[in-house]
Amino acid sequence: MSMRYLEKLVTLELDVEKCTGCGRCTQVCPHAVFELVDGLATLRDRGACMECGACQRNCAFGAITVDSGVGCAAALLDAMFRRKQDATCGPTGGCC
Amino acid sequence: MFGGYRVRAGIGRYSYTVDPGLYAIGRPTDESEVLVTANYKLSFDALRRELSGVDAWILVLDTRGINVWCAAGKGTFGTDELVARIASSELARVVSHKRLILPQLGAVGVAGHLVSKRSGFHVVWGPVRAADLPAFLVAGRKADAEMRRVRFPLKDRLVLAPVELLSGLKLTLLVMAALVVLGGVGPAGFSIASLADRWPLAVASALLALLSGALFTPAALPRLEWRMFSAKGAEIGVLVALVVMTSLSFGTGSPVSRGDLASAVVLIVTGSSFFAMNYTGTSTYTSVHGARNEISASIWWQVGGLVLALLLRIVGGWY
């Protein structure tokens, strides 16, 4: 009963062909999704991904793709009903 | 202490900023580390507090008073701002090395390799928490696995609960007002006497729905089996509703009508579900596709529950 979310919906993909084993993804991921095995990145725990996008942004080799965004229902609802361009946090009326 | 709550609630948030630019703590030299942070006063103060006794430079980015993680999500704690701030603070003339330590959560907005390319400064990813910085520095700028993990312990869940409580308050008061007014409806048409008699349960149930979803559910979060926050909230809502039902002794001799009690139960369960769902944004592990899925699976049940609670409230005037 640890804190895990809807794992099957995660959009994270790793293209090992492009990986150079620099290890940046293992440093920036807040949920230890990646692990270097034999000098290359692997998805150790894909289901723990929160789609923050830090790994994709910091992979200089384009080996990681994830459709990132805020996992915040309030912001998403706000975007749906006010027809805003995209859902982000605050600064107006938001939490952060 | 209350300053922390006030600023999280957004009250006078913009006076809780620090001017962007380069700051010195202790007596840094040209070889001292450069730590990058947001111009949110709570972030800046936490960094200064954890680094007491360390001589270092702090480069404060303009994130409009937003914390590192949220600002990185928006892109204000981002590559462009960092590169521009390195230039405007003339950092290359202050330090003789080419190394920046960034908070790990800033990686959502900052691409380390692009910063190197554009500024010549190399990004080292520091730990998630400022409290781990001294150990990180002592270890030769190495973070262990635990320093890289975002956790969500009870203390954090509760510290952030007032944010959700406050943002849910407006809706709560609105629904509460509607329920109180509907309490005047009954066999005699609209009567103030009926309203005066029936208002306490309306006020209590609206408040309990909010507390259940935005405080009790976050507190119990890892103990609740469901993955969806809306389901976790509904579960706690059922427990709260059961307590309300037992204490009001459903049936004969009850101080409230059956319709009013049923209205309260439905409102507590669905309201708790809704406010718990909104807590996904405060939590540290929910994904956007998960949250979207959760909304589409839950929102119409929640809206339906609200409508049903309002209808039952009218029924409560008769039965």
Side-chain angles (χ1 to χ4, degrees):
Chain A
M1 292 200 284
S2 59
M3 286 180 274
R4 300 190 63 94
Y5 202 42
L6 307 172
E7 307 190 22
K8 288 189 181 123
L9 300 173
V10 166
T11 56
L12 175 71
E13 299 297 342
L14 168 68
D15 182 356
V16 191
E17 295 291 305
K18 292 181 183 165
C19 178
T20 64
C22 75
R24 277 296 165 125
C25 51
T26 65
Q27 293 174 3
V28 298
C29 177
H31 291 291
V33 166
F34 301 93
E35 185 181 28
L36 285 185
V37 176
D38 299 328
L40 288 177
T42 54
L43 293 174
R44 186 192 72 88
D45 185 7
R46 186 171 180 274
C49 175
M50 62 176 292
E51 304 184 321
C52 72
C55 53
Q56 179 179 26
R57 187 173 293 279
N58 280 280
C59 180
F61 310 99
I64 301 169
T65 50
V66 56
D67 186 15
S68 59
V70 285
C72 173
L76 292 167
L77 277 172
D78 206 43
M80 280 176 205
F81 289 104
R82 293 185 196 181
R83 305 193 187 283
K84 282 197 307 189
Q85 279 298 307
D86 51 13
T88 57
C89 318
T92 45
C95 40
C96 68
Chain B
M1 178 192 168
F2 293 109
Y5 277 118
R6 261 207 317 271
V7 62
R8 280 188 196 101
I11 301 164
R13 158 153 258 165
Y14 296 98
S15 57
Y16 274 81
T17 60
V18 178
D19 288 334
L22 193 62
Y23 291 77
I25 53 163
R27 294 166 168 274
T29 67
D30 65 334
E31 290 178 356
S32 300
E33 299 291 355
V34 180
L35 299 139
V36 181
T37 191
N39 76 330
Y40 180 44
K41 196 166 184 300
L42 297 187
S43 309
F44 183 73
D45 288 346
L47 186 58
R48 275 200 309 188
R49 187 175 59 243
E50 300 302 340
L51 287 174
S52 59
V54 178
D55 299 318
W57 298 101
I58 299 183
L59 184 63
V60 177
L61 304 189
D62 184 6
T63 61
R64 287 158 225 168
I66 310 285
N67 73 65
V68 171
W69 208 6
C70 291
K74 270 188 247 293
T76 49
F77 190 98
T79 308
D80 289 344
E81 164 64 11
L82 177 56
V83 169
R85 198 59 60 184
I86 290 169
S88 68
S89 65
E90 302 189 313
L91 188 60
R93 293 172 57 171
V94 177
V95 292
S96 56
H97 60 81
K98 291 284 179 190
R99 189 174 59 240
L100 303 168
I101 297 175
L102 266 69
Q104 184 187 321
L105 297 180
V108 172
V110 173
H113 56 284
L114 296 182
V115 173
S116 305
K117 203 176 281 180
R118 288 171 54 185
S119 73
F121 277 86
H122 170 64
V123 171
V124 176
W125 293 110
V128 166
R129 287 164 292 271
D132 288 327
L133 267 171
F136 171 84
L137 294 173
V138 167
R141 296 183 293 274
K142 291 263 184 294
D144 63 31
E146 192 50 40
M147 290 182 196
R148 297 239 172 269
R149 290 298 286 272
V150 165
R151 303 286 184 187
F152 202 32
L154 181 65
K155 182 173 160 268
D156 290 2
R157 301 200 298 273
L158 294 184
V159 161
L160 296 171
V163 177
E164 209 47 62
L165 284 170
L166 268 161
S167 58
L169 195 59
K170 200 170 140 192
L171 179 61
T172 301
L173 292 176
L174 212 64
V175 171
M176 189 191 286
L179 290 170
V180 168
V181 170
L182 287 176
V185 179
F190 187 86
S191 95
I192 294 293
S194 166
L195 186 150
D197 190 42
R198 292 165 65 196
W199 71 266
L201 187 60
V203 171
S205 58
L207 286 176
L208 282 171
L210 179 63
L211 283 175
S212 175
L215 183 63
F216 305 157
T217 305
L221 207 62
R223 308 206 149 268
L224 302 168
E225 212 161 314
W226 312 94
R227 293 289 176 99
M228 286 194 189
F229 281 49
S230 52
K232 289 173 188 278
E235 184 181 346
I236 294 285
V238 167
L239 295 178
V240 171
L242 280 173
V243 172
V244 171
M245 279 173 74
T246 3
S247 59
L248 289 178
S249 63
F250 200 17
T252 46
S254 172
V256 298
S257 73
R258 269 176 268 186
D260 280 1
L261 190 54
S263 165
V265 166
V266 172
L267 186 79
I268 290 169
V269 174
T270 49
S272 176
S273 171
F274 179 75
F275 292 123
M277 188 172 83
N278 280 352
Y279 193 78
T280 47
T282 308
S283 84
T284 59
Y285 66 95
T286 54
S287 65
V288 60
H289 290 88
R292 237 180 241 144
N293 181 263
E294 171 159 358
I295 291 172
S296 48
S298 317
I299 190 74
W300 298 114
W301 288 105
Q302 293 159 350
V303 171
L306 174 61
V307 172
L308 182 60
L310 293 171
L311 291 176
L312 285 168
R313 185 73 179 160
I314 299 173
V315 172
W318 281 266
Y319 302 101

